[in-house]
């Protein structure tokens, strides 16, 4: 096995990316926490959206143990679950490139004026994510974007406006992933070892921890999920979720 491809090489690459995020994104994390804390103080919730593997980052933000209860995950499957579209629409591999989809998703989401949005896209250029970002800003919502600045600067936007997620967000968090996401080049081209899922999750959890710290400093009991698999967790979570009835969705 070549020393440049195995598990130790990947650990070295991802550790370097984490260190890079830690060095460069502290101020961005604080600014993102400012926006979320202000939204929660106004009675808003965090609306999270990402396509493809970026949906995993939405799951870090909405509906997990240790996370904020006032949070909602928007997903392409909402077109079927809430919009009545035929499930075959989800078989289209180009769905996330269609800007018109963003309008339907926004219409179907339980959005209120005081909500704050977190949009995630490693490339930051696909039609749905850029159109969604435009809609968010048109409706006056604060917007946090999580993306790879290295990647997005090196690809052509797929949206007719020629804009990127990073051009539209009030706060841009750079996940530190390299162009193409994977970090270990292969001898005959391509690469292995994706970075963005790990560094994106790090950024999301840092932001949540910063928000909770601010709520505690203000004397507010943070509305945070317990694991449903600890005694009393499910009951406590249900009690907290009831405060946001009709505002947050928890689907499989």
């Amino acid at each position: 096995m070549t020393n440049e491809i195995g598990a130790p090489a990947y650990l070295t690459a991802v550790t370097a990316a984490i260190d890079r995020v830690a060095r460069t994104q502290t101020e961005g994390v604080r600014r993102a926490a400012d926006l979320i804390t202000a939204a929660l103080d106004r009675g808003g919730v965090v609306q999270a959206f990402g396509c493809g593997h970026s949906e995993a980052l939405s799951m870090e933000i909405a509906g997990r143990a240790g996370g904020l209860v006032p949070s909602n995950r928007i997903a392409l499957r909402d077109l079927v679950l809430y919009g009545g579209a035929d499930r075959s629409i989800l078989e289209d591999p180009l769905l996330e490139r269609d800007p018109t989809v963003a309008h339907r998703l926004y219409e179907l989401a339980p959005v209120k004026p005081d909500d704050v949005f977190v949009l995630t896209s490693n490339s930051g250029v696909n039609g749905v994510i850029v159109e969604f970002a435009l809609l968010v800003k048109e409706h006056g919502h604060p917007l946090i974007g999580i993306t790879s600045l290295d990647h997005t600067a090196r690809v052509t936007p797929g949206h007719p406006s020629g804009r990127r997620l990073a051009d539209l967000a009030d706060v841009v968090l750079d996940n530190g992933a390299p162009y193409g996401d994977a970090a270990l080049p292969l001898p005959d081209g391509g690469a292995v070892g994706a970075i963005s899922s790990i560094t994106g999750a790090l950024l999301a959890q840092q932001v949540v921890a910063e928000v909770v710290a601010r709520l505690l400093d203000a004397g507010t009991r943070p509305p945070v999920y317990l694991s449903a698999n600890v005694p009393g967790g499910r009951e406590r979570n249900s009690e907290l979720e009831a405060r946001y009835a009709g505002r947050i969705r928890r689907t499989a």
Side-chain angles (χ1 to χ4, degrees):
M1 179 184 297
T2 176
N3 292 333
E4 289 78 19
I5 298 298
Y10 177 70
L11 180 60
T12 297
V14 78
T15 300
I18 289 171
D19 289 344
R20 190 159 55 250
V21 167
R23 290 195 313 272
T24 64
Q25 300 306 299
T26 300
E27 181 57 29
V29 166
R30 290 172 179 161
R31 291 174 58 213
D34 285 341
L35 294 181
I36 292 176
T37 304
L40 297 185
D41 287 345
R42 296 191 300 267
V45 305
V46 183
Q47 301 282 353
F49 174 61
C51 299
H53 283 90
S54 292
E55 186 182 346
L57 188 48
S58 297
M59 296 174 73
E60 285 292 321
I61 295 168
R64 68 159 300 157
L68 296 167
V69 174
S71 58
N72 182 63
R73 173 165 51 99
I74 299 169
L76 290 176
R77 70 178 65 87
D78 292 354
L79 298 171
V80 177
L81 291 176
Y82 305 108
D86 190 276
R87 62 186 300 175
S88 63
I89 193 175
L90 302 178
E91 298 173 6
D92 182 359
L94 301 180
L95 189 63
E96 67 181 85
R97 300 179 184 272
D98 181 358
T100 64
V101 170
H103 291 261
R104 186 62 176 146
L105 288 172
Y106 187 92
E107 291 168 0
L108 292 170
V111 177
K112 298 295 183 183
D114 290 328
D115 292 350
V116 57
F117 279 75
V118 180
L119 303 186
T120 306
S121 170
N122 192 61
S123 69
V125 296
N126 283 335
V128 169
I129 204 72
V130 175
E131 186 72 12
F132 210 113
L134 287 167
L135 284 170
V136 166
K137 296 314 301 173
E138 286 172 8
H139 285 83
H141 301 286
L143 172 58
I144 299 159
I146 303 178
T147 190
S148 165
L149 291 183
D150 183 21
H151 190 116
T152 199
R154 297 170 63 180
V155 292
T156 302
H159 190 272
S161 69
R163 304 178 80 179
R164 299 169 169 83
L165 174 60
D167 299 327
L168 299 164
D170 299 295
V171 176
V172 177
L173 296 177
D174 181 10
N175 64 27
Y179 174 70
D181 201 354
L184 306 179
L186 297 172
D188 297 324
V192 66
I195 296 291
S196 64
S197 297
I198 293 175
T199 53
L202 170 65
L203 286 166
Q205 295 302 333
Q206 283 186 298
V207 170
V208 169
E210 189 73 12
V211 171
V212 169
R214 291 165 189 229
L215 294 175
L216 289 171
D217 287 343
T220 301
R221 184 182 183 188
V224 172
Y225 277 109
L226 290 176
S227 170
N229 294 306
V230 301
R234 191 177 301 278
E235 292 77 11
R236 182 174 181 275
N237 293 342
S238 295
E239 178 184 342
L240 289 171
E241 287 178 337
R243 302 179 188 175
Y244 305 96
R247 304 293 310 284
I248 60 177
R249 295 166 172 168
R250 296 293 178 256
T251 58

Short mmCIF file of all heavy atoms in Angstrom, two decimals, residues 46-90:
data_model
loop_
_atom_site.label_atom_id
_atom_site.label_comp_id
_atom_site.label_asym_id
_atom_site.label_seq_id
_atom_site.Cartn_x
_atom_site.Cartn_y
_atom_site.Cartn_z
N VAL A 46 -34.05 28.00 13.15
CA VAL A 46 -32.98 27.82 12.17
C VAL A 46 -33.49 26.91 11.06
O VAL A 46 -33.88 25.76 11.32
CB VAL A 46 -31.73 27.20 12.81
CG1 VAL A 46 -30.61 27.08 11.78
CG2 VAL A 46 -31.27 28.01 14.01
N GLN A 47 -33.49 27.39 9.84
CA GLN A 47 -33.89 26.61 8.67
C GLN A 47 -32.62 26.16 7.95
O GLN A 47 -31.80 26.98 7.53
CB GLN A 47 -34.75 27.44 7.73
CG GLN A 47 -36.02 27.98 8.33
CD GLN A 47 -37.13 26.94 8.44
OE1 GLN A 47 -37.00 25.81 7.96
NE2 GLN A 47 -38.23 27.30 9.09
N ALA A 48 -32.43 24.84 7.82
CA ALA A 48 -31.21 24.30 7.23
C ALA A 48 -31.54 23.56 5.94
O ALA A 48 -32.49 22.79 5.87
CB ALA A 48 -30.52 23.36 8.21
N PHE A 49 -30.71 23.79 4.92
CA PHE A 49 -30.94 23.14 3.63
C PHE A 49 -29.62 22.86 2.94
O PHE A 49 -28.72 23.68 2.91
CB PHE A 49 -31.80 24.02 2.73
CG PHE A 49 -31.98 23.48 1.33
CD1 PHE A 49 -32.60 22.26 1.11
CD2 PHE A 49 -31.51 24.19 0.23
CE1 PHE A 49 -32.76 21.76 -0.18
CE2 PHE A 49 -31.67 23.70 -1.06
CZ PHE A 49 -32.29 22.47 -1.26
N GLY A 50 -29.55 21.66 2.36
CA GLY A 50 -28.42 21.28 1.52
C GLY A 50 -28.83 20.11 0.66
O GLY A 50 -29.68 19.30 1.04
N CYS A 51 -28.25 20.02 -0.53
CA CYS A 51 -28.55 18.92 -1.46
C CYS A 51 -27.42 17.89 -1.44
O CYS A 51 -26.30 18.19 -1.05
CB CYS A 51 -28.71 19.46 -2.88
SG CYS A 51 -30.04 20.65 -3.10
N GLY A 52 -27.74 16.70 -1.93
CA GLY A 52 -26.71 15.68 -2.01
C GLY A 52 -26.12 15.38 -0.65
O GLY A 52 -26.84 15.31 0.35
N HIS A 53 -24.80 15.23 -0.59
CA HIS A 53 -24.16 14.95 0.69
C HIS A 53 -24.25 16.13 1.65
O HIS A 53 -24.06 15.95 2.86
CB HIS A 53 -22.70 14.54 0.48
CG HIS A 53 -22.56 13.13 0.01
ND1 HIS A 53 -22.54 12.80 -1.33
CD2 HIS A 53 -22.46 11.98 0.68
CE1 HIS A 53 -22.43 11.49 -1.45
NE2 HIS A 53 -22.38 10.96 -0.25
N SER A 54 -24.53 17.31 1.13
CA SER A 54 -24.67 18.47 2.01
C SER A 54 -25.91 18.36 2.89
O SER A 54 -26.03 19.08 3.89
CB SER A 54 -24.73 19.76 1.19
OG SER A 54 -23.48 20.01 0.57
N GLU A 55 -26.85 17.47 2.52
CA GLU A 55 -28.01 17.27 3.40
C GLU A 55 -27.57 16.73 4.75
O GLU A 55 -28.22 16.98 5.77
CB GLU A 55 -29.03 16.33 2.77
CG GLU A 55 -30.30 16.22 3.60
CD GLU A 55 -31.32 15.25 3.03
OE1 GLU A 55 -31.18 14.83 1.87
OE2 GLU A 55 -32.26 14.90 3.78
N ALA A 56 -26.46 15.99 4.78
CA ALA A 56 -25.97 15.45 6.05
C ALA A 56 -25.65 16.57 7.03
O ALA A 56 -25.85 16.42 8.25
CB ALA A 56 -24.72 14.59 5.81
N LEU A 57 -25.19 17.70 6.50
CA LEU A 57 -24.89 18.81 7.39
C LEU A 57 -26.17 19.45 7.94
O LEU A 57 -26.19 19.92 9.09
CB LEU A 57 -24.05 19.86 6.65
CG LEU A 57 -23.49 21.01 7.49
CD1 LEU A 57 -22.83 20.49 8.76
CD2 LEU A 57 -22.50 21.81 6.67
N SER A 58 -27.23 19.44 7.15
CA SER A 58 -28.52 19.89 7.67
C SER A 58 -28.97 19.03 8.84
O SER A 58 -29.59 19.51 9.79
CB SER A 58 -29.58 19.87 6.56
OG SER A 58 -29.26 20.75 5.52
N MET A 59 -28.64 17.74 8.77
CA MET A 59 -28.99 16.83 9.86
C MET A 59 -28.14 17.08 11.10
O MET A 59 -28.55 16.76 12.22
CB MET A 59 -28.85 15.38 9.39
CG MET A 59 -29.80 15.02 8.26
SD MET A 59 -29.53 13.37 7.59
CE MET A 59 -30.16 12.35 8.93
N GLU A 60 -26.95 17.65 10.92
CA GLU A 60 -26.15 18.06 12.07
C GLU A 60 -26.80 19.24 12.78
O GLU A 60 -26.69 19.39 14.00
CB GLU A 60 -24.74 18.47 11.62
CG GLU A 60 -23.82 17.34 11.25
CD GLU A 60 -23.43 16.49 12.44
OE1 GLU A 60 -23.19 17.05 13.54
OE2 GLU A 60 -23.36 15.26 12.28
N ILE A 61 -27.48 20.06 12.02
CA ILE A 61 -28.06 21.29 12.57
C ILE A 61 -29.45 21.06 13.14
O ILE A 61 -29.81 21.62 14.18
CB ILE A 61 -28.10 22.37 11.47
CG1 ILE A 61 -26.67 22.74 11.07
CG2 ILE A 61 -28.89 23.60 11.92
CD1 ILE A 61 -26.59 23.58 9.81
N ALA A 62 -30.25 20.24 12.47
CA ALA A 62 -31.66 20.11 12.85
C ALA A 62 -31.99 18.69 13.31
O ALA A 62 -31.86 17.74 12.54
CB ALA A 62 -32.55 20.48 11.66
N GLY A 63 -32.42 18.58 14.57
CA GLY A 63 -33.01 17.35 15.04
C GLY A 63 -32.08 16.29 15.60
O GLY A 63 -32.42 15.11 15.57
N ARG A 64 -30.91 16.69 16.12
CA ARG A 64 -30.03 15.68 16.67
C ARG A 64 -29.69 15.98 18.13
O ARG A 64 -29.81 17.13 18.58
CB ARG A 64 -28.75 15.56 15.85
CG ARG A 64 -27.80 16.73 15.90
CD ARG A 64 -26.41 16.28 15.50
NE ARG A 64 -25.94 15.25 16.40
CZ ARG A 64 -25.00 14.35 16.11
NH1 ARG A 64 -24.44 14.34 14.92
NH2 ARG A 64 -24.63 13.45 16.98
N ALA A 65 -29.26 14.95 18.87
CA ALA A 65 -28.90 15.10 20.27
C ALA A 65 -27.82 16.16 20.41
O ALA A 65 -26.85 16.20 19.65
CB ALA A 65 -28.41 13.78 20.83
N GLY A 66 -28.00 17.06 21.39
CA GLY A 66 -27.06 18.13 21.60
C GLY A 66 -27.29 19.34 20.73
O GLY A 66 -26.59 20.34 20.85
N GLY A 67 -28.29 19.26 19.84
CA GLY A 67 -28.57 20.36 18.93
C GLY A 67 -29.74 21.20 19.39
O GLY A 67 -30.44 20.87 20.36
N LEU A 68 -29.97 22.28 18.68
CA LEU A 68 -31.05 23.21 19.01
C LEU A 68 -32.40 22.65 18.59
O LEU A 68 -32.57 22.24 17.44
CB LEU A 68 -30.81 24.56 18.34
CG LEU A 68 -29.56 25.32 18.78
CD1 LEU A 68 -29.27 26.47 17.82
CD2 LEU A 68 -29.71 25.83 20.21
N VAL A 69 -33.37 22.68 19.46
CA VAL A 69 -34.71 22.22 19.12
C VAL A 69 -35.36 23.14 18.08
O VAL A 69 -35.97 22.64 17.12
CB VAL A 69 -35.58 22.10 20.38
CG1 VAL A 69 -37.02 21.77 20.02
CG2 VAL A 69 -35.01 21.05 21.33
N PRO A 70 -35.25 24.47 18.20
CA PRO A 70 -35.85 25.34 17.19
C PRO A 70 -35.05 25.33 15.88
O PRO A 70 -34.37 26.28 15.53
CB PRO A 70 -35.85 26.71 17.85
CG PRO A 70 -34.71 26.65 18.82
CD PRO A 70 -34.68 25.24 19.31
N SER A 71 -35.15 24.22 15.18
CA SER A 71 -34.40 24.03 13.93
C SER A 71 -35.21 23.13 13.02
O SER A 71 -35.91 22.23 13.47
CB SER A 71 -33.04 23.40 14.22
OG SER A 71 -33.18 22.16 14.89
N ASN A 72 -35.11 23.39 11.72
CA ASN A 72 -35.89 22.62 10.75
C ASN A 72 -35.02 22.28 9.55
O ASN A 72 -34.26 23.11 9.06
CB ASN A 72 -37.11 23.43 10.29
CG ASN A 72 -37.97 22.65 9.31
OD1 ASN A 72 -38.52 21.61 9.66
ND2 ASN A 72 -38.07 23.14 8.09
N ARG A 73 -35.16 21.04 9.08
CA ARG A 73 -34.41 20.59 7.91
C ARG A 73 -35.30 20.59 6.69
O ARG A 73 -36.35 19.96 6.67
CB ARG A 73 -33.85 19.19 8.16
CG ARG A 73 -33.19 18.55 6.94
CD ARG A 73 -32.36 17.34 7.35
NE ARG A 73 -33.09 16.40 8.18
CZ ARG A 73 -33.67 15.28 7.73
NH1 ARG A 73 -33.62 14.98 6.44
NH2 ARG A 73 -34.30 14.47 8.56
N ILE A 74 -34.89 21.31 5.67
CA ILE A 74 -35.56 21.32 4.38
C ILE A 74 -34.80 20.38 3.47
O ILE A 74 -33.57 20.36 3.46
CB ILE A 74 -35.58 22.74 3.79
CG1 ILE A 74 -36.34 23.69 4.73
CG2 ILE A 74 -36.20 22.76 2.40
CD1 ILE A 74 -36.19 25.16 4.38
N ALA A 75 -35.52 19.55 2.69
CA ALA A 75 -34.86 18.56 1.84
C ALA A 75 -35.62 18.42 0.53
O ALA A 75 -36.82 18.74 0.45
CB ALA A 75 -34.79 17.21 2.55
N LEU A 76 -34.94 17.93 -0.48
CA LEU A 76 -35.57 17.73 -1.77
C LEU A 76 -36.79 16.81 -1.67
O LEU A 76 -37.76 16.97 -2.40
CB LEU A 76 -34.57 17.15 -2.78
CG LEU A 76 -33.45 18.09 -3.24
CD1 LEU A 76 -32.49 17.35 -4.15
CD2 LEU A 76 -34.01 19.32 -3.94
N ARG A 77 -36.76 15.85 -0.75
CA ARG A 77 -37.89 14.92 -0.60
C ARG A 77 -39.15 15.63 -0.12
O ARG A 77 -40.25 15.06 -0.18
CB ARG A 77 -37.52 13.77 0.33
CG ARG A 77 -37.37 14.12 1.78
CD ARG A 77 -37.05 12.89 2.62
NE ARG A 77 -35.77 12.35 2.25
CZ ARG A 77 -34.59 12.75 2.78
NH1 ARG A 77 -34.58 13.71 3.69
NH2 ARG A 77 -33.46 12.21 2.40
N ASP A 78 -39.02 16.88 0.37
CA ASP A 78 -40.20 17.64 0.75
C ASP A 78 -41.15 17.84 -0.43
O ASP A 78 -42.36 18.01 -0.24
CB ASP A 78 -39.80 19.01 1.31
CG ASP A 78 -39.08 18.92 2.64
OD1 ASP A 78 -38.99 17.81 3.20
OD2 ASP A 78 -38.58 19.96 3.11
N LEU A 79 -40.61 17.81 -1.64
CA LEU A 79 -41.45 17.93 -2.83
C LEU A 79 -42.48 16.81 -2.88
O LEU A 79 -43.61 17.00 -3.35
CB LEU A 79 -40.59 17.89 -4.09
CG LEU A 79 -39.56 19.00 -4.27
CD1 LEU A 79 -38.64 18.69 -5.45
CD2 LEU A 79 -40.24 20.35 -4.46
N VAL A 80 -42.10 15.63 -2.37
CA VAL A 80 -42.97 14.47 -2.34
C VAL A 80 -43.79 14.44 -1.05
O VAL A 80 -45.01 14.29 -1.06
CB VAL A 80 -42.16 13.18 -2.50
CG1 VAL A 80 -43.07 11.95 -2.38
CG2 VAL A 80 -41.41 13.17 -3.82
N LEU A 81 -43.10 14.61 0.09
CA LEU A 81 -43.74 14.46 1.39
C LEU A 81 -44.82 15.53 1.64
O LEU A 81 -45.87 15.25 2.22
CB LEU A 81 -42.70 14.55 2.51
CG LEU A 81 -41.72 13.38 2.60
CD1 LEU A 81 -40.68 13.66 3.68
CD2 LEU A 81 -42.44 12.08 2.90
N TYR A 82 -44.53 16.75 1.22
CA TYR A 82 -45.44 17.86 1.51
C TYR A 82 -46.03 18.51 0.26
O TYR A 82 -47.04 19.22 0.36
CB TYR A 82 -44.72 18.93 2.33
CG TYR A 82 -44.09 18.39 3.58
CD1 TYR A 82 -42.71 18.26 3.70
CD2 TYR A 82 -44.87 17.98 4.65
CE1 TYR A 82 -42.12 17.75 4.85
CE2 TYR A 82 -44.31 17.46 5.81
CZ TYR A 82 -42.92 17.35 5.90
OH TYR A 82 -42.36 16.84 7.03
N GLY A 83 -45.41 18.27 -0.88
CA GLY A 83 -45.86 18.94 -2.10
C GLY A 83 -46.65 18.09 -3.05
O GLY A 83 -47.16 18.59 -4.07
N GLY A 84 -46.77 16.78 -2.76
CA GLY A 84 -47.58 15.91 -3.60
C GLY A 84 -46.94 15.48 -4.90
O GLY A 84 -47.60 14.86 -5.74
N ALA A 85 -45.65 15.76 -5.10
CA ALA A 85 -44.98 15.33 -6.32
C ALA A 85 -44.80 13.83 -6.34
O ALA A 85 -44.72 13.18 -5.28
CB ALA A 85 -43.62 16.02 -6.45
N ASP A 86 -44.75 13.25 -7.52
CA ASP A 86 -44.50 11.82 -7.64
C ASP A 86 -43.08 11.52 -7.17
O ASP A 86 -42.15 12.27 -7.46
CB ASP A 86 -44.67 11.37 -9.09
CG ASP A 86 -44.66 9.86 -9.22
OD1 ASP A 86 -43.54 9.29 -9.29
OD2 ASP A 86 -45.73 9.25 -9.25
N ARG A 87 -42.92 10.43 -6.45
CA ARG A 87 -41.61 10.11 -5.88
C ARG A 87 -40.54 9.91 -6.94
O ARG A 87 -39.34 10.01 -6.66
CB ARG A 87 -41.70 8.87 -5.00
CG ARG A 87 -42.12 7.60 -5.72
CD ARG A 87 -42.31 6.45 -4.75
NE ARG A 87 -41.10 6.15 -4.02
CZ ARG A 87 -41.02 5.24 -3.04
NH1 ARG A 87 -42.12 4.60 -2.66
NH2 ARG A 87 -39.89 5.01 -2.44
N SER A 88 -40.94 9.66 -8.19
CA SER A 88 -39.98 9.46 -9.26
C SER A 88 -39.15 10.72 -9.52
O SER A 88 -38.06 10.63 -10.10
CB SER A 88 -40.70 9.04 -10.56
OG SER A 88 -41.58 10.07 -11.00
N ILE A 89 -39.66 11.88 -9.07
CA ILE A 89 -38.90 13.11 -9.28
C ILE A 89 -37.55 13.05 -8.58
O ILE A 89 -36.56 13.65 -9.02
CB ILE A 89 -39.71 14.33 -8.79
CG1 ILE A 89 -39.08 15.64 -9.28
CG2 ILE A 89 -39.83 14.35 -7.27
CD1 ILE A 89 -39.89 16.87 -8.94
N LEU A 90 -37.48 12.28 -7.48
CA LEU A 90 -36.24 12.19 -6.72
C LEU A 90 -35.20 11.32 -7.40
O LEU A 90 -34.05 11.27 -6.96
CB LEU A 90 -36.53 11.64 -5.31
CG LEU A 90 -37.52 12.46 -4.48
CD1 LEU A 90 -37.76 11.79 -3.14
CD2 LEU A 90 -37.01 13.89 -4.28
#
